[in-house]
Amino acid sequence: MRQILLVSLFLVLLDPGIQGGGSVVPVGSYLYAKPENPEQYTGRLTVRFATPGDRLVVAWGRKWRKDRKSREDTSEEDRQVFKPYLGKPIDDGAGVIFWNLPVDRYDIVVIDAKTMKIHEGIMLMRDGDPQQPNEQFLEEVRKSLGPRTDIIGGWEGFFDNKEFDRLESNGVRAGVVVQQMRLGTALAESGAVLKGCIHSIDVVWVERAKVEGVGWQVVSRQQLYRDEIPARTFFTHAYVPELSGIRVGTQPKEIGPIALP
């Protein structure tokens, strides 16, 4: 019982808005940008897809990412601008529109909790080197950050299952797309047992540890999605180049239709 109560407390601390209903709005709304005076940003992006769908679509700017800009001495108002932006579905989900975007290059992440698919075009490292042995590094990161039995908790110990989908590296540091889910018992703030499964989709930046035998260590993390959904399996992951590096200026921009594999 004590263990369950601790899990419940940890869940509340991580996500104070959680209600256990599978709705992204109350659970993960703190993840996405809500700048003050958004009308000062005049960029607008419309992304169209080849088929309709019930999708959550995120636009993540490159300029203020944690691997490029420190959060030290920044205000809450600053950090609201730095966050990823959540799009508004249009045309029965065949498109999505983002209003009030700052000028930047954006990578798009498409999350479909009904088909359990993720499509993303994230530039994970500004100075990534395609000649690096990224598959080898990805396996090393799995061993360093995956669930552990030899220590208590480990990295993000609340989540008892992790999937490491894709990595870019310069040989010293790396950016990684990670899925996490909790299959064990978790409680809502009310004390009710959550019927669904808590899922998280993250980008983490890691570097080689200076201590022998430690492997890779997390430098910083950006959570792109968090929700309680019925599925107790990982999303199928696909990298889609058309979703990468979309330049948004002060005038409306439209791309697509994009066929998602």
Side-chain angles (χ1 to χ4, degrees):
M1 182 63 182
R2 182 172 179 271
Q3 183 179 8
I4 294 177
L5 289 174
L6 288 173
V7 168
S8 176
L9 177 60
F10 189 31
L11 178 57
V12 170
L13 290 173
L14 282 174
D15 195 346
I18 193 162
Q19 299 296 322
S23 172
V24 172
V25 174
V27 176
S29 59
Y30 65 94
L31 300 179
Y32 307 116
K34 293 181 181 177
E36 299 217 4
N37 304 316
E39 61 277 359
Q40 67 182 296
Y41 304 109
T42 58
R44 189 175 79 196
L45 173 64
T46 302
V47 182
R48 298 194 179 276
F49 303 108
T51 59
D54 186 7
R55 307 176 176 107
L56 183 147
V57 185
V58 176
W60 188 20
R62 294 180 176 178
K63 185 177 180 180
W64 291 300
R65 289 185 188 173
K66 293 176 182 177
D67 66 328
R68 305 185 184 194
K69 181 175 179 62
S70 169
R71 285 352 187 213
E72 187 176 356
D73 298 325
T74 60
S75 66
E76 176 60 28
E77 184 177 346
D78 293 332
R79 293 190 292 275
Q80 284 298 326
V81 179
F82 301 162
K83 292 180 178 182
Y85 288 77
L86 184 63
K88 177 179 175 58
I90 57 175
D91 301 330
D92 296 324
V96 64
I97 188 166
F98 298 89
W99 300 88
N100 304 118
L101 291 179
V103 172
D104 203 346
R105 285 191 180 274
Y106 288 86
D107 298 330
I108 305 298
V109 183
V110 183
I111 302 159
D112 190 328
K114 289 190 174 179
T115 63
M116 290 302 293
K117 292 182 178 180
I118 306 169
H119 300 89
E120 52 92 0
I122 302 170
M123 180 182 183
L124 296 171
M125 288 287 292
R126 179 170 51 179
D127 56 351
D129 179 2
Q131 301 303 314
Q132 293 294 326
N134 288 336
E135 287 303 315
Q136 174 189 328
F137 291 165
L138 189 59
E139 183 59 32
E140 292 174 2
V141 170
R142 284 192 185 102
K143 293 179 179 178
S144 298
L145 304 185
R148 302 283 294 270
T149 58
D150 57 333
I151 58 176
I152 297 174
W155 177 72
E156 281 293 300
F158 172 77
F159 294 101
D160 48 24
N161 283 265
K162 303 176 191 291
E163 180 83 348
F164 297 83
D165 287 315
R166 188 169 67 85
L167 176 147
E168 295 175 7
S169 177
N170 61 10
V172 178
R173 289 198 172 196
V176 193
V177 177
V178 185
Q179 296 185 60
Q180 304 186 87
M181 63 178 174
R182 179 173 180 83
L183 295 180
T185 301
L187 304 183
E189 189 173 2
S190 65
V193 175
L194 297 179
K195 296 180 180 179
C197 177
I198 304 296
H199 284 253
S200 178
I201 299 171
D202 308 83
V203 168
V204 296
W205 292 278
V206 298
E207 65 180 11
R208 288 190 176 278
K210 296 178 174 61
V211 178
E212 186 176 351
V214 174
W216 295 76
Q217 295 178 316
V218 174
V219 177
S220 57
R221 169 198 184 194
Q222 178 67 58
Q223 196 172 36
L224 297 172
Y225 172 85
R226 181 188 178 93
D227 198 11
E228 178 214 344
I229 58 177
R232 300 175 68 82
T233 58
F234 289 114
F235 291 83
T236 300
H237 168 271
Y239 174 75
V240 180
E242 293 86 348
L243 299 175
S244 181
I246 301 163
R247 174 70 177 171
V248 176
T250 58
Q251 300 298 315
K253 177 73 170 285
E254 181 170 323
I255 64 168
I258 297 173
L260 300 175

